Amino acid sequence: MLAPSHHQLISNLIESELTIGDQIRFSVTSNSMQHILQIGDSVIAEVIPNTDVNLGDIIVIKRMDDFLTHRVISKSVDGWSTKGDNNVMLDPPIQKENYIGRVRIVQKTNQVIVFESSKWRWANKLLARLGELETRAFFHHRFLRLPFRICSKGVQKLSMLNLG
């Protein structure tokens, strides 16, 4: 019999041990949320009730034996539509039972981002809307997405500035 994969062991631990209020820490392994989340950044996510997830939140979800950390673009009764800020297309619909937690803090080499600040709550909602518009525009013509992508990157960079 084969030993379970690393992801399967983590998956089993998360499913059996995490409760509301618990936090998980992990390192980013893809650029799907670049520039806010980049490979090597340290992320702290907190388990909160799925009813407290808001538009624009960056959430951790389980997809098969893997984990995904993407932005909530829209909500429905059954779950959410999510998308990586650096991706064009929406992810397949996310069911509430696949939800793990919401990202609270990102620790970069030279910066800490706290998503609970009013600046980031505003920016995350705007980034969700721009992401949705980018995807819709792409379906009409691939170049129509560019203004939304440029605006998204501008909002990300402005939000990441420490303005005092």
Side-chain angles (χ1 to χ4, degrees):
M1 180 163 81
L2 294 174
S5 72
H6 178 71
H7 279 291
Q8 186 61 49
L9 289 171
I10 293 170
S11 176
N12 292 343
L13 176 68
I14 286 173
E15 288 180 354
S16 66
E17 300 292 327
L18 289 179
T19 59
I20 300 299
D22 286 347
Q23 294 184 353
I24 55 174
R25 182 184 204 112
F26 59 92
S27 292
V28 175
T29 60
S30 87
N31 282 325
S32 66
M33 286 294 294
Q34 189 175 6
H35 292 287
I36 291 177
L37 302 179
Q38 298 187 142
I39 292 174
D41 288 349
S42 181
V43 174
I44 298 172
E46 182 177 20
V47 180
I48 63 167
N50 60 28
T51 54
D52 291 349
V53 172
N54 297 307
L55 182 71
D57 285 348
I58 299 172
I59 62 173
V60 180
I61 53 160
K62 181 180 177 193
R63 190 166 62 185
M64 294 186 273
D65 287 336
D66 205 0
F67 299 94
L68 192 63
T69 306
H70 280 176
R71 183 177 307 284
V72 175
I73 300 299
S74 65
K75 295 169 61 171
S76 71
V77 174
D78 298 326
W80 308 276
S81 292
T82 60
K83 175 183 170 302
D85 288 352
N86 206 31
N87 298 345
V88 176
M89 306 306 290
L90 295 176
D91 302 323
I94 306 302
Q95 303 301 310
K96 288 183 178 178
E97 58 266 15
N98 293 332
Y99 161 79
I100 305 293
R102 177 173 63 191
V103 173
R104 291 185 57 233
I105 297 171
V106 177
Q107 293 179 325
K108 299 177 159 299
T109 305
N110 59 352
Q111 182 179 19
V112 175
I113 297 172
V114 179
F115 287 116
E116 294 161 349
S117 70
S118 60
K119 171 179 80 170
W120 277 104
R121 284 194 303 268
W122 173 86
N124 283 336
K125 286 180 182 166
L126 180 57
L127 288 167
R129 186 66 179 135
L130 287 168
E132 179 186 24
L133 291 171
E134 177 187 7
T135 298
R136 286 183 183 189
F138 181 78
F139 282 116
H140 292 288
H141 192 281
R142 65 185 176 154
F143 293 119
L144 289 177
R145 72 181 261 261
L146 293 177
F148 302 106
R149 174 57 60 104
I150 291 167
C151 286
S152 289
K153 297 305 174 191
V155 169
Q156 288 175 0
K157 288 181 181 186
L158 283 173
S159 297
M160 291 172 63
L161 291 176
N162 289 322
L163 299 174

